[in-house]
């Protein structure tokens, strides 16, 4: 297998951007049990990701537009269903009142949008919410409130402690798979299921 890369290894540090973290059954932190996290950044300064399989209860995109005064109630009622009912996810415990939109690259604003990879971008400004409300946003998107953050070396420690599995599942997991199916789908990409993981986790 060779030597395990050290935390300072730049190749190791950048290799997980655009991949998914899948929580192991033994995850001690209740906030992250059975979560799938899409990593938007991973480098020497740490890592940042968004939970993509936990909904915000009783909250829609239309509710957020109304709260931010981005449209009159009668205008919001006329929004296309796919926009008004856009899923709002619980992205993580950090800055939980701030919105982050993961989306396809057909919408990109220099200085505001960040390309995670060729298929997924991140925008965290109010402009993209306005664009979505007016039918000028990206074809595919999801909105998450809050994010997950790791200090330098912290994520590597959690990976070595078997807290997470990593999977390259592509953008379809974000935009094509129903929210409630993303955990099992991500595990399926690795050829495992919950029952297998639970028995593995119990034997440690």
């Amino acid at each position: 297998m060779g030597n395990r890369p050290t935390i300072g290894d730049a190749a190791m540090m950048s290799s997980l951007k655009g991949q998914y973290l899948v929580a192991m059954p033994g995850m001690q932190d209740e906030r992250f049990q059975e979560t799938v996290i899409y990593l938007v950044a991973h480098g020497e300064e740490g890592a940042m990701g968004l939970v993509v399989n936990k909904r915000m209860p009783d909250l829609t995109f239309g509710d957020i537009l109304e709260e931010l005064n981005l449209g009159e109630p009668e205008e919001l009622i006329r929004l296309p269903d796919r926009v008004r009912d856009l899923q709002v996810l619980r992205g993580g415990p950090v800055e939980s009142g701030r919105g982050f939109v993961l989306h396809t690259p057909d919408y990109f604003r220099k200085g505001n949008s960040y390309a995670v990879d060729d298929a997924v971008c991140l925008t965290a400004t109010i402009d993209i919410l306005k664009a979505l409300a007016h039918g000028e946003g990206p074809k595919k998107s999801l909105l998450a409130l809050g994010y997950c953050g790791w200090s330098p070396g912290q994520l590597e420690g959690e990976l070595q402690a078997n807290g997470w599995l990593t999977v390259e599942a592509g953008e379809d997991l974000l935009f094509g798979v129903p929210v409630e199916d993303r955990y099992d789908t991500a595990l399926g990409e690795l050829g495992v299921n919950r029952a297998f993981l639970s028995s593995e986790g119990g034997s440690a």
Side-chain angles (χ1 to χ4, degrees), residues 8-27:
D9 188 318
M12 170 67 176
M13 294 302 290
S14 61
S15 64
L16 296 180
K17 186 178 84 163
Q19 294 188 37
Y20 299 85
L21 299 176
V22 184
M24 287 286 283
M27 173 63 67

Side-chain angles (χ1 to χ4, degrees), residues 14 22 27 34 45 47 88 118-119 133 148 164-165 173 179 200:
S14 61
V22 184
M27 173 63 67
E34 295 191 358
E45 296 180 357
V88 181
D118 292 340
C148 307
W164 303 99
L165 296 169
L173 188 61
V179 173
E200 287 287 298

Side-chain angles (χ1 to χ4, degrees), residues 60-61 81-88 132 141-143:
T60 67
F61 182 62
D81 288 347
R82 69 175 185 84
V83 174
R84 187 180 61 247
D85 299 332
L86 185 72
Q87 55 206 6
V88 181
L132 284 164
S141 61
L142 64 81
L143 170 63

Side-chain angles (χ1 to χ4, degrees), residues 17-19 38-41 102 108 114-122:
K17 186 178 84 163
Q19 294 188 37
Y38 180 71
L39 283 176
V40 298
L102 290 172
F108 191 89
Y114 165 72
V116 181
D117 57 27
D118 292 340
V120 181
C121 297
L122 172 74

Side-chain angles (χ1 to χ4, degrees), residues 175-191:
F175 305 129
V177 176
V179 173
E180 56 275 8
D181 295 336
R182 288 176 186 166
Y183 186 73
D184 289 316
T185 299
L187 290 178
E189 292 281 340
L190 297 170

Side-chain angles (χ1 to χ4, degrees), residues 4-9 11-24 27 32 35-51 147-167:
R4 177 181 289 276
T6 63
I7 287 173
D9 188 318
M12 170 67 176
M13 294 302 290
S14 61
S15 64
L16 296 180
K17 186 178 84 163
Q19 294 188 37
Y20 299 85
L21 299 176
V22 184
M24 287 286 283
M27 173 63 67
F32 299 113
T35 56
V36 178
I37 296 175
Y38 180 71
L39 283 176
V40 298
H42 183 210
E44 293 182 4
E45 296 180 357
M48 173 187 173
L50 301 173
V51 176
Y147 69 93
C148 307
W150 291 265
S151 57
Q154 183 182 2
L155 179 56
E156 286 72 22
E158 292 179 12
L159 287 165
Q160 289 178 355
N162 297 318
W164 303 99
L165 296 169
T166 60
V167 59

